[in-house]
């Protein structure tokens, strides 16, 4: 079988050995219901407590502020819809950005059908929204602001510290989607003034279908799933003990190695970027060169169609993506790149590489060689 060069870690990551081991143990031995009043139940409850403690220490927050969910999407939905609904008569206006993940954007669309008004702040050409434009969009009836910490397509960091300070000072709930940053950059909830923060396990070496929402003590939140009252009544349903065990192990691994993993990823991304820009003519990085998470590289190749390039790369075992993978095969131009001012054509000629600590220099060099051939081939075909 052809070797796989996996450069789509923004879509998902392989399960790390630590998460797999933790999950296997729970899967075979700890089958109790965490609500059960016997040792097997207590053992299951301990799995939840241990993972919660791991996450709370990574975020410098209280354990009771961590609500386990089925992943990034559910966490975003719960924060946006639950935060808006909990604000009741205080107002029905929300501020978000045009570059959010669809979990946030489509939750806002749903709220619009209930009569809420939503302002979508657009980024500059560098892919970042300005804190001032978010502040200017706020009205007296604004109840919630939702701005992601880093964008998943470009990796560009957003000014969430400043936005959080402003929201807190104005008594407005602030949600941030930290799926692209948690485990990669140090986060401290005593400094980041967010009421809600979303994380997904499968973007950091944990299992798919698991994640959490940080809910600040005292923040108003209406549940969106009703039932037996698990997770302080904010997310009912018997907890996914296996997934949560995997999440806890993945968090520990990321936290203990954050600097080493970050440096390695950054070095590999720099190598990929430098070689592409130097060795393939008419190529451009989309978004800020400096203000980015370590692993993401969104590149535009003039005169080619990104999806055609992806097919050629796949033929050589290389996985990358056009726009966000989560857009299940939609051929629409990326809403993120068009919001940054790229034309539809420029957006369609862009692809995203997302690296992590498991990638190697050999993989990067192999990818550059394949890219050189493939881009040249596609440009020749187009000229014919
Ligand atoms: C992947 C992703 C999500 C969705 O997380 P799932 O666990 O796949 O539902 C949300 N936001 C961002 C920024 C993401 O990259």
């Amino acid at each position: 079988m052809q070797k796989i060069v996996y450069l789509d870690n923004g879509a998902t990551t392989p399960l790390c050995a630590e998460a797999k081991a933790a999950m296997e143990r729970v899967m075979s031995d700890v089958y109790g219901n965490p609500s059960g009043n016997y040792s097997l139940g207590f053992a299951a409850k301990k799995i939840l407590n241990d993972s919660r403690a791991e996450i709370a220490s990574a975020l410098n927050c209280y354990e009771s502020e961590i609500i386990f969910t089925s992943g990034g999407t559910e966490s975003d939905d719960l924060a946006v819809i639950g935060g808006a609904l909990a604000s009741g008569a205080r107002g029905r206006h929300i501020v978000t950005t045009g570059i959010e993940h669809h979990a946030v954007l489509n939750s806002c669309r749903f709220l619009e059908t209930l009569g809420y008004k939503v302002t979508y702040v657009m980024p500059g050409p560098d892919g970042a929204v300005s804190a001032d434009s978010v502040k200017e969009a706020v009205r007296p009836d604004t109840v919630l602001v939702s701005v992601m910490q880093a964008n998943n397509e470009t990796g560009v960091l957003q000014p969430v510290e400043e936005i959080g300070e402003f929201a807190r000072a104005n008594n407005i709930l602030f949600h941030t989607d930290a799926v692209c940053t948690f485990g990669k950059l140090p986060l401290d909830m005593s400094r980041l003034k967010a009421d809600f923060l979303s994380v997904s396990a499968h973007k950091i070496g944990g299992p798919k279908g698991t994640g959490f929402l940080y809910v600040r003590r005292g923040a108003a939140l209406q549940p969106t799933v009703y039932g037996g009252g698990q997770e302080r009544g904010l997310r009912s349903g018997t907890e996914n003990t296996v997934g949560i065990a995997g999440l806890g192990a993945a968090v520990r691994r990321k936290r203990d190695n954050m600097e080493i993993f970050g440096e390695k990823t950054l070095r590999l991304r720099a190598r990929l970027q430098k070689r592409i820009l130097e060795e393939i003519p008419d190529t451009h990085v989309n978004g800020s060169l400096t203000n980015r998470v370590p692993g993401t590289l969104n590149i535009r190749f003039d005169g080619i169609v990104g999806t055609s390039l992806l097919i050629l790369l796949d033929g050589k075992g290389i996985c990358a993506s056009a726009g966000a993978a989560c857009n299940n095969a939609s051929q629409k131009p990326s809403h993120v790149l068009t919001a940054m001012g790229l034309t539809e054509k420029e957006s369609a000629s862009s692809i995203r590489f997302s690296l992590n600590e498991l990638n190697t220099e050999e993989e990067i060099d192999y990818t550059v060689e394949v890219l050189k051939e493939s881009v040249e081939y596609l440009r020749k075909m187009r000229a014919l």
Side-chain angles (χ1 to χ4, degrees), residues 10-12 70-76 100-104 148 150-153 177-180 198-203 207-211 324 326 352:
T12 194
S70 67
T73 298
E74 187 187 332
S75 296
D76 284 347
E100 296 300 308
H101 188 274
H102 280 103
V104 167
M148 67 201 327
N151 180 265
N152 46 313
E153 292 189 29
D177 178 331
V179 171
C180 298
S198 305
V199 170
S200 172
H202 76 98
K203 304 287 175 76
K208 293 160 186 64
T210 306
C326 342
R352 175 189 70 179

PDB file of all heavy atoms in Angstrom, residues 10-12 70-76 100-104 148 150-153 177-180 198-203 207-211 324 326 352, ligand 1:
ATOM      1  N   GLY A  10      -6.261  19.612  10.405  1.00  0.00           N
ATOM      2  CA  GLY A  10      -7.343  20.531  10.751  1.00  0.00           C
ATOM      3  C   GLY A  10      -8.703  19.869  10.571  1.00  0.00           C
ATOM      4  O   GLY A  10      -9.702  20.304  11.144  1.00  0.00           O
ATOM      5  N   ALA A  11      -8.741  18.805   9.758  1.00  0.00           N
ATOM      6  CA  ALA A  11      -9.999  18.069   9.548  1.00  0.00           C
ATOM      7  C   ALA A  11     -10.194  17.055  10.663  1.00  0.00           C
ATOM      8  O   ALA A  11     -11.281  16.915  11.224  1.00  0.00           O
ATOM      9  CB  ALA A  11      -9.985  17.367   8.196  1.00  0.00           C
ATOM     10  N   THR A  12      -9.134  16.328  10.952  1.00  0.00           N
ATOM     11  CA  THR A  12      -9.112  15.418  12.098  1.00  0.00           C
ATOM     12  C   THR A  12      -7.683  14.936  12.265  1.00  0.00           C
ATOM     13  O   THR A  12      -6.845  15.151  11.390  1.00  0.00           O
ATOM     14  CB  THR A  12     -10.070  14.221  11.926  1.00  0.00           C
ATOM     15  OG1 THR A  12     -10.242  13.572  13.203  1.00  0.00           O
ATOM     16  CG2 THR A  12      -9.549  13.209  10.928  1.00  0.00           C
ATOM     17  N   SER A  70     -20.632  16.090  22.728  1.00  0.00           N
ATOM     18  CA  SER A  70     -20.259  15.175  21.642  1.00  0.00           C
ATOM     19  C   SER A  70     -19.239  15.795  20.690  1.00  0.00           C
ATOM     20  O   SER A  70     -18.975  15.236  19.637  1.00  0.00           O
ATOM     21  CB  SER A  70     -21.500  14.753  20.869  1.00  0.00           C
ATOM     22  OG  SER A  70     -22.040  15.861  20.175  1.00  0.00           O
ATOM     23  N   GLY A  71     -18.683  16.973  21.020  1.00  0.00           N
ATOM     24  CA  GLY A  71     -17.627  17.515  20.173  1.00  0.00           C
ATOM     25  C   GLY A  71     -17.751  19.010  19.949  1.00  0.00           C
ATOM     26  O   GLY A  71     -18.541  19.703  20.615  1.00  0.00           O
ATOM     27  N   GLY A  72     -16.967  19.492  19.002  1.00  0.00           N
ATOM     28  CA  GLY A  72     -16.912  20.922  18.727  1.00  0.00           C
ATOM     29  C   GLY A  72     -18.253  21.482  18.268  1.00  0.00           C
ATOM     30  O   GLY A  72     -18.668  22.565  18.702  1.00  0.00           O
ATOM     31  N   THR A  73     -18.919  20.763  17.407  1.00  0.00           N
ATOM     32  CA  THR A  73     -20.197  21.251  16.879  1.00  0.00           C
ATOM     33  C   THR A  73     -21.219  21.420  17.993  1.00  0.00           C
ATOM     34  O   THR A  73     -21.861  22.467  18.117  1.00  0.00           O
ATOM     35  CB  THR A  73     -20.738  20.273  15.808  1.00  0.00           C
ATOM     36  OG1 THR A  73     -19.795  20.223  14.731  1.00  0.00           O
ATOM     37  CG2 THR A  73     -22.094  20.725  15.289  1.00  0.00           C
ATOM     38  N   GLU A  74     -21.365  20.390  18.811  1.00  0.00           N
ATOM     39  CA  GLU A  74     -22.365  20.492  19.886  1.00  0.00           C
ATOM     40  C   GLU A  74     -21.983  21.585  20.883  1.00  0.00           C
ATOM     41  O   GLU A  74     -22.854  22.314  21.377  1.00  0.00           O
ATOM     42  CB  GLU A  74     -22.537  19.149  20.617  1.00  0.00           C
ATOM     43  CG  GLU A  74     -23.692  19.227  21.602  1.00  0.00           C
ATOM     44  CD  GLU A  74     -23.822  18.001  22.495  1.00  0.00           C
ATOM     45  OE1 GLU A  74     -23.430  16.893  22.088  1.00  0.00           O
ATOM     46  OE2 GLU A  74     -24.310  18.180  23.619  1.00  0.00           O
ATOM     47  N   SER A  75     -20.702  21.730  21.161  1.00  0.00           N
ATOM     48  CA  SER A  75     -20.272  22.776  22.097  1.00  0.00           C
ATOM     49  C   SER A  75     -20.604  24.160  21.547  1.00  0.00           C
ATOM     50  O   SER A  75     -21.100  25.031  22.265  1.00  0.00           O
ATOM     51  CB  SER A  75     -18.769  22.660  22.368  1.00  0.00           C
ATOM     52  OG  SER A  75     -18.488  21.439  23.004  1.00  0.00           O
ATOM     53  N   ASP A  76     -20.332  24.367  20.244  1.00  0.00           N
ATOM     54  CA  ASP A  76     -20.660  25.652  19.616  1.00  0.00           C
ATOM     55  C   ASP A  76     -22.173  25.893  19.649  1.00  0.00           C
ATOM     56  O   ASP A  76     -22.638  26.986  19.981  1.00  0.00           O
ATOM     57  CB  ASP A  76     -20.191  25.674  18.152  1.00  0.00           C
ATOM     58  CG  ASP A  76     -18.676  25.877  18.029  1.00  0.00           C
ATOM     59  OD1 ASP A  76     -18.036  26.246  19.022  1.00  0.00           O
ATOM     60  OD2 ASP A  76     -18.155  25.665  16.917  1.00  0.00           O
ATOM     61  N   GLU A 100     -16.582  32.281  10.980  1.00  0.00           N
ATOM     62  CA  GLU A 100     -16.759  31.214  11.982  1.00  0.00           C
ATOM     63  C   GLU A 100     -16.982  29.866  11.300  1.00  0.00           C
ATOM     64  O   GLU A 100     -17.382  29.784  10.135  1.00  0.00           O
ATOM     65  CB  GLU A 100     -17.965  31.529  12.875  1.00  0.00           C
ATOM     66  CG  GLU A 100     -17.832  32.773  13.709  1.00  0.00           C
ATOM     67  CD  GLU A 100     -16.655  32.751  14.668  1.00  0.00           C
ATOM     68  OE1 GLU A 100     -16.514  31.787  15.427  1.00  0.00           O
ATOM     69  OE2 GLU A 100     -15.868  33.714  14.654  1.00  0.00           O
ATOM     70  N   HIS A 101     -16.770  28.810  12.060  1.00  0.00           N
ATOM     71  CA  HIS A 101     -17.140  27.462  11.620  1.00  0.00           C
ATOM     72  C   HIS A 101     -18.653  27.405  11.436  1.00  0.00           C
ATOM     73  O   HIS A 101     -19.389  28.147  12.090  1.00  0.00           O
ATOM     74  CB  HIS A 101     -16.707  26.478  12.710  1.00  0.00           C
ATOM     75  CG  HIS A 101     -16.838  25.039  12.322  1.00  0.00           C
ATOM     76  ND1 HIS A 101     -18.010  24.338  12.471  1.00  0.00           N
ATOM     77  CD2 HIS A 101     -15.949  24.173  11.776  1.00  0.00           C
ATOM     78  CE1 HIS A 101     -17.825  23.096  12.054  1.00  0.00           C
ATOM     79  NE2 HIS A 101     -16.585  22.970  11.628  1.00  0.00           N
ATOM     80  N   HIS A 102     -19.119  26.516  10.575  1.00  0.00           N
ATOM     81  CA  HIS A 102     -20.564  26.436  10.327  1.00  0.00           C
ATOM     82  C   HIS A 102     -21.363  26.048  11.571  1.00  0.00           C
ATOM     83  O   HIS A 102     -22.570  26.308  11.630  1.00  0.00           O
ATOM     84  CB  HIS A 102     -20.865  25.498   9.156  1.00  0.00           C
ATOM     85  CG  HIS A 102     -20.644  26.189   7.832  1.00  0.00           C
ATOM     86  ND1 HIS A 102     -19.526  25.974   7.054  1.00  0.00           N
ATOM     87  CD2 HIS A 102     -21.370  27.140   7.199  1.00  0.00           C
ATOM     88  CE1 HIS A 102     -19.584  26.761   5.987  1.00  0.00           C
ATOM     89  NE2 HIS A 102     -20.683  27.473   6.045  1.00  0.00           N
ATOM     90  N   ALA A 103     -20.706  25.440  12.546  1.00  0.00           N
ATOM     91  CA  ALA A 103     -21.425  25.119  13.793  1.00  0.00           C
ATOM     92  C   ALA A 103     -21.911  26.402  14.464  1.00  0.00           C
ATOM     93  O   ALA A 103     -23.011  26.441  15.030  1.00  0.00           O
ATOM     94  CB  ALA A 103     -20.510  24.338  14.741  1.00  0.00           C
ATOM     95  N   VAL A 104     -21.113  27.460  14.379  1.00  0.00           N
ATOM     96  CA  VAL A 104     -21.534  28.755  14.930  1.00  0.00           C
ATOM     97  C   VAL A 104     -22.464  29.465  13.948  1.00  0.00           C
ATOM     98  O   VAL A 104     -23.543  29.943  14.328  1.00  0.00           O
ATOM     99  CB  VAL A 104     -20.303  29.641  15.261  1.00  0.00           C
ATOM    100  CG1 VAL A 104     -20.718  31.083  15.522  1.00  0.00           C
ATOM    101  CG2 VAL A 104     -19.567  29.077  16.472  1.00  0.00           C
ATOM    102  N   MET A 148     -14.194  33.145  17.083  1.00  0.00           N
ATOM    103  CA  MET A 148     -13.284  32.019  17.244  1.00  0.00           C
ATOM    104  C   MET A 148     -11.878  32.485  17.614  1.00  0.00           C
ATOM    105  O   MET A 148     -11.469  33.591  17.259  1.00  0.00           O
ATOM    106  CB  MET A 148     -13.253  31.160  15.966  1.00  0.00           C
ATOM    107  CG  MET A 148     -12.652  31.845  14.774  1.00  0.00           C
ATOM    108  SD  MET A 148     -13.123  31.124  13.142  1.00  0.00           S
ATOM    109  CE  MET A 148     -13.325  29.393  13.429  1.00  0.00           C
ATOM    110  N   ALA A 150      -8.938  30.938  16.713  1.00  0.00           N
ATOM    111  CA  ALA A 150      -8.138  30.895  15.483  1.00  0.00           C
ATOM    112  C   ALA A 150      -9.025  30.300  14.409  1.00  0.00           C
ATOM    113  O   ALA A 150      -9.831  29.402  14.685  1.00  0.00           O
ATOM    114  CB  ALA A 150      -6.894  30.046  15.657  1.00  0.00           C
ATOM    115  N   ASN A 151      -8.876  30.797  13.193  1.00  0.00           N
ATOM    116  CA  ASN A 151      -9.699  30.264  12.115  1.00  0.00           C
ATOM    117  C   ASN A 151      -9.164  28.915  11.642  1.00  0.00           C
ATOM    118  O   ASN A 151      -7.949  28.720  11.517  1.00  0.00           O
ATOM    119  CB  ASN A 151      -9.759  31.260  10.957  1.00  0.00           C
ATOM    120  CG  ASN A 151     -10.617  30.726   9.834  1.00  0.00           C
ATOM    121  OD1 ASN A 151     -10.104  30.132   8.882  1.00  0.00           O
ATOM    122  ND2 ASN A 151     -11.924  30.883   9.957  1.00  0.00           N
ATOM    123  N   ASN A 152     -10.079  28.004  11.319  1.00  0.00           N
ATOM    124  CA  ASN A 152      -9.673  26.654  10.940  1.00  0.00           C
ATOM    125  C   ASN A 152      -9.131  26.558   9.513  1.00  0.00           C
ATOM    126  O   ASN A 152      -8.395  25.644   9.189  1.00  0.00           O
ATOM    127  CB  ASN A 152     -10.831  25.676  11.130  1.00  0.00           C
ATOM    128  CG  ASN A 152     -12.141  26.193  10.583  1.00  0.00           C
ATOM    129  OD1 ASN A 152     -12.530  27.326  10.827  1.00  0.00           O
ATOM    130  ND2 ASN A 152     -12.836  25.364   9.836  1.00  0.00           N
ATOM    131  N   GLU A 153      -9.466  27.499   8.644  1.00  0.00           N
ATOM    132  CA  GLU A 153      -8.984  27.404   7.261  1.00  0.00           C
ATOM    133  C   GLU A 153      -7.637  28.095   7.062  1.00  0.00           C
ATOM    134  O   GLU A 153      -6.800  27.619   6.303  1.00  0.00           O
ATOM    135  CB  GLU A 153     -10.014  27.990   6.299  1.00  0.00           C
ATOM    136  CG  GLU A 153     -11.278  27.143   6.245  1.00  0.00           C
ATOM    137  CD  GLU A 153     -12.224  27.575   5.143  1.00  0.00           C
ATOM    138  OE1 GLU A 153     -11.754  28.098   4.115  1.00  0.00           O
ATOM    139  OE2 GLU A 153     -13.444  27.399   5.320  1.00  0.00           O
ATOM    140  N   ASP A 177     -14.690  29.773  19.972  1.00  0.00           N
ATOM    141  CA  ASP A 177     -14.430  28.425  19.471  1.00  0.00           C
ATOM    142  C   ASP A 177     -12.915  28.248  19.501  1.00  0.00           C
ATOM    143  O   ASP A 177     -12.192  28.894  18.740  1.00  0.00           O
ATOM    144  CB  ASP A 177     -14.990  28.319  18.043  1.00  0.00           C
ATOM    145  CG  ASP A 177     -14.727  26.969  17.402  1.00  0.00           C
ATOM    146  OD1 ASP A 177     -13.722  26.332  17.758  1.00  0.00           O
ATOM    147  OD2 ASP A 177     -15.519  26.565  16.538  1.00  0.00           O
ATOM    148  N   ALA A 178     -12.449  27.386  20.414  1.00  0.00           N
ATOM    149  CA  ALA A 178     -11.005  27.198  20.592  1.00  0.00           C
ATOM    150  C   ALA A 178     -10.556  25.847  20.045  1.00  0.00           C
ATOM    151  O   ALA A 178      -9.516  25.321  20.443  1.00  0.00           O
ATOM    152  CB  ALA A 178     -10.643  27.334  22.069  1.00  0.00           C
ATOM    153  N   VAL A 179     -11.339  25.300  19.117  1.00  0.00           N
ATOM    154  CA  VAL A 179     -11.018  23.974  18.566  1.00  0.00           C
ATOM    155  C   VAL A 179      -9.630  23.969  17.932  1.00  0.00           C
ATOM    156  O   VAL A 179      -8.909  22.985  18.022  1.00  0.00           O
ATOM    157  CB  VAL A 179     -12.105  23.535  17.548  1.00  0.00           C
ATOM    158  CG1 VAL A 179     -11.671  22.274  16.809  1.00  0.00           C
ATOM    159  CG2 VAL A 179     -13.440  23.305  18.247  1.00  0.00           C
ATOM    160  N   CYS A 180      -9.226  25.076  17.303  1.00  0.00           N
ATOM    161  CA  CYS A 180      -7.935  25.120  16.602  1.00  0.00           C
ATOM    162  C   CYS A 180      -6.774  25.537  17.496  1.00  0.00           C
ATOM    163  O   CYS A 180      -5.629  25.540  17.054  1.00  0.00           O
ATOM    164  CB  CYS A 180      -8.001  26.078  15.418  1.00  0.00           C
ATOM    165  SG  CYS A 180      -9.200  25.571  14.206  1.00  0.00           S
ATOM    166  N   SER A 198     -15.282  26.388  23.294  1.00  0.00           N
ATOM    167  CA  SER A 198     -15.541  25.071  22.697  1.00  0.00           C
ATOM    168  C   SER A 198     -14.256  24.346  22.328  1.00  0.00           C
ATOM    169  O   SER A 198     -13.343  24.955  21.765  1.00  0.00           O
ATOM    170  CB  SER A 198     -16.341  25.220  21.396  1.00  0.00           C
ATOM    171  OG  SER A 198     -17.523  25.940  21.602  1.00  0.00           O
ATOM    172  N   VAL A 199     -14.242  23.033  22.600  1.00  0.00           N
ATOM    173  CA  VAL A 199     -13.094  22.198  22.241  1.00  0.00           C
ATOM    174  C   VAL A 199     -13.585  20.852  21.704  1.00  0.00           C
ATOM    175  O   VAL A 199     -14.609  20.327  22.143  1.00  0.00           O
ATOM    176  CB  VAL A 199     -12.164  21.981  23.464  1.00  0.00           C
ATOM    177  CG1 VAL A 199     -11.107  20.925  23.173  1.00  0.00           C
ATOM    178  CG2 VAL A 199     -11.494  23.296  23.865  1.00  0.00           C
ATOM    179  N   SER A 200     -12.849  20.325  20.741  1.00  0.00           N
ATOM    180  CA  SER A 200     -13.157  19.016  20.154  1.00  0.00           C
ATOM    181  C   SER A 200     -11.981  18.074  20.376  1.00  0.00           C
ATOM    182  O   SER A 200     -10.828  18.458  20.156  1.00  0.00           O
ATOM    183  CB  SER A 200     -13.408  19.183  18.655  1.00  0.00           C
ATOM    184  OG  SER A 200     -13.532  17.925  18.045  1.00  0.00           O
ATOM    185  N   ALA A 201     -12.260  16.823  20.770  1.00  0.00           N
ATOM    186  CA  ALA A 201     -11.174  15.874  21.068  1.00  0.00           C
ATOM    187  C   ALA A 201     -10.429  15.419  19.814  1.00  0.00           C
ATOM    188  O   ALA A 201      -9.209  15.238  19.835  1.00  0.00           O
ATOM    189  CB  ALA A 201     -11.735  14.647  21.800  1.00  0.00           C
ATOM    190  N   HIS A 202     -11.147  15.252  18.704  1.00  0.00           N
ATOM    191  CA  HIS A 202     -10.492  14.607  17.551  1.00  0.00           C
ATOM    192  C   HIS A 202      -9.554  15.520  16.781  1.00  0.00           C
ATOM    193  O   HIS A 202      -8.878  15.081  15.854  1.00  0.00           O
ATOM    194  CB  HIS A 202     -11.523  13.955  16.627  1.00  0.00           C
ATOM    195  CG  HIS A 202     -12.304  14.879  15.752  1.00  0.00           C
ATOM    196  ND1 HIS A 202     -11.963  15.105  14.446  1.00  0.00           N
ATOM    197  CD2 HIS A 202     -13.415  15.607  15.977  1.00  0.00           C
ATOM    198  CE1 HIS A 202     -12.843  15.944  13.911  1.00  0.00           C
ATOM    199  NE2 HIS A 202     -13.732  16.260  14.818  1.00  0.00           N
ATOM    200  N   LYS A 203      -9.468  16.802  17.179  1.00  0.00           N
ATOM    201  CA  LYS A 203      -8.494  17.683  16.541  1.00  0.00           C
ATOM    202  C   LYS A 203      -7.166  17.685  17.307  1.00  0.00           C
ATOM    203  O   LYS A 203      -6.214  18.333  16.893  1.00  0.00           O
ATOM    204  CB  LYS A 203      -9.050  19.109  16.462  1.00  0.00           C
ATOM    205  CG  LYS A 203     -10.404  19.251  15.750  1.00  0.00           C
ATOM    206  CD  LYS A 203     -10.301  19.094  14.255  1.00  0.00           C
ATOM    207  CE  LYS A 203     -11.649  19.110  13.542  1.00  0.00           C
ATOM    208  NZ  LYS A 203     -12.246  20.428  13.407  1.00  0.00           N
ATOM    209  N   PRO A 207     -10.515  10.977  20.401  1.00  0.00           N
ATOM    210  CA  PRO A 207     -11.511  10.315  19.547  1.00  0.00           C
ATOM    211  C   PRO A 207     -12.544  11.287  18.970  1.00  0.00           C
ATOM    212  O   PRO A 207     -12.794  12.344  19.539  1.00  0.00           O
ATOM    213  CB  PRO A 207     -12.189   9.353  20.518  1.00  0.00           C
ATOM    214  CG  PRO A 207     -12.082  10.040  21.847  1.00  0.00           C
ATOM    215  CD  PRO A 207     -10.778  10.785  21.838  1.00  0.00           C
ATOM    216  N   LYS A 208     -13.136  10.904  17.861  1.00  0.00           N
ATOM    217  CA  LYS A 208     -14.228  11.670  17.272  1.00  0.00           C
ATOM    218  C   LYS A 208     -15.485  11.509  18.123  1.00  0.00           C
ATOM    219  O   LYS A 208     -15.658  10.499  18.791  1.00  0.00           O
ATOM    220  CB  LYS A 208     -14.467  11.203  15.840  1.00  0.00           C
ATOM    221  CG  LYS A 208     -13.297  11.537  14.930  1.00  0.00           C
ATOM    222  CD  LYS A 208     -13.271  10.686  13.678  1.00  0.00           C
ATOM    223  CE  LYS A 208     -12.016  10.947  12.859  1.00  0.00           C
ATOM    224  NZ  LYS A 208     -10.746  10.572  13.551  1.00  0.00           N
ATOM    225  N   GLY A 209     -16.350  12.512  18.092  1.00  0.00           N
ATOM    226  CA  GLY A 209     -17.608  12.410  18.836  1.00  0.00           C
ATOM    227  C   GLY A 209     -17.474  12.740  20.316  1.00  0.00           C
ATOM    228  O   GLY A 209     -18.320  12.355  21.114  1.00  0.00           O
ATOM    229  N   THR A 210     -16.401  13.433  20.696  1.00  0.00           N
ATOM    230  CA  THR A 210     -16.209  13.833  22.094  1.00  0.00           C
ATOM    231  C   THR A 210     -15.610  15.244  22.139  1.00  0.00           C
ATOM    232  O   THR A 210     -14.820  15.600  21.277  1.00  0.00           O
ATOM    233  CB  THR A 210     -15.224  12.878  22.806  1.00  0.00           C
ATOM    234  OG1 THR A 210     -15.673  11.548  22.640  1.00  0.00           O
ATOM    235  CG2 THR A 210     -15.138  13.181  24.298  1.00  0.00           C
ATOM    236  N   GLY A 211     -15.997  15.983  23.131  1.00  0.00           N
ATOM    237  CA  GLY A 211     -15.432  17.316  23.326  1.00  0.00           C
ATOM    238  C   GLY A 211     -15.990  17.903  24.595  1.00  0.00           C
ATOM    239  O   GLY A 211     -16.585  17.185  25.412  1.00  0.00           O
ATOM    240  N   ALA A 324     -12.713  23.958   4.291  1.00  0.00           N
ATOM    241  CA  ALA A 324     -12.814  23.114   5.465  1.00  0.00           C
ATOM    242  C   ALA A 324     -13.435  21.789   5.086  1.00  0.00           C
ATOM    243  O   ALA A 324     -14.376  21.737   4.301  1.00  0.00           O
ATOM    244  CB  ALA A 324     -13.646  23.806   6.535  1.00  0.00           C
ATOM    245  N   CYS A 326     -15.156  19.937   6.803  1.00  0.00           N
ATOM    246  CA  CYS A 326     -16.455  19.774   7.455  1.00  0.00           C
ATOM    247  C   CYS A 326     -17.604  20.154   6.533  1.00  0.00           C
ATOM    248  O   CYS A 326     -18.759  19.886   6.811  1.00  0.00           O
ATOM    249  CB  CYS A 326     -16.506  20.647   8.703  1.00  0.00           C
ATOM    250  SG  CYS A 326     -14.895  21.169   9.255  1.00  0.00           S
ATOM    251  N   ARG A 352      -5.564  23.971   1.740  1.00  0.00           N
ATOM    252  CA  ARG A 352      -5.040  24.077   3.095  1.00  0.00           C
ATOM    253  C   ARG A 352      -4.226  22.837   3.452  1.00  0.00           C
ATOM    254  O   ARG A 352      -4.698  21.709   3.289  1.00  0.00           O
ATOM    255  CB  ARG A 352      -6.199  24.194   4.104  1.00  0.00           C
ATOM    256  CG  ARG A 352      -5.707  24.195   5.563  1.00  0.00           C
ATOM    257  CD  ARG A 352      -6.841  24.092   6.569  1.00  0.00           C
ATOM    258  NE  ARG A 352      -7.459  22.764   6.558  1.00  0.00           N
ATOM    259  CZ  ARG A 352      -8.459  22.410   7.362  1.00  0.00           C
ATOM    260  NH1 ARG A 352      -8.966  23.279   8.217  1.00  0.00           N
ATOM    261  NH2 ARG A 352      -8.977  21.197   7.291  1.00  0.00           N
TER     262      ARG A 352
HETATM  263  C1  LIG B   1     -13.643  20.777  13.550  1.00  0.00           C
HETATM  264  C2  LIG B   1     -14.148  22.064  14.062  1.00  0.00           C
HETATM  265  C3  LIG B   1     -15.391  22.137  14.720  1.00  0.00           C
HETATM  266  C4  LIG B   1     -16.309  20.951  14.835  1.00  0.00           C
HETATM  267  O1  LIG B   1     -15.854  19.993  15.743  1.00  0.00           O
HETATM  268  P1  LIG B   1     -16.471  18.495  15.663  1.00  0.00           P
HETATM  269  O2  LIG B   1     -15.943  17.842  16.896  1.00  0.00           O
HETATM  270  O3  LIG B   1     -15.942  17.902  14.398  1.00  0.00           O
HETATM  271  O4  LIG B   1     -17.947  18.633  15.664  1.00  0.00           O
HETATM  272  C5  LIG B   1     -15.791  23.357  15.206  1.00  0.00           C
HETATM  273  N1  LIG B   1     -15.034  24.450  15.067  1.00  0.00           N
HETATM  274  C6  LIG B   1     -13.842  24.431  14.452  1.00  0.00           C
HETATM  275  C7  LIG B   1     -13.034  25.675  14.340  1.00  0.00           C
HETATM  276  C8  LIG B   1     -13.362  23.241  13.913  1.00  0.00           C
HETATM  277  O5  LIG B   1     -12.187  23.225  13.255  1.00  0.00           O
END
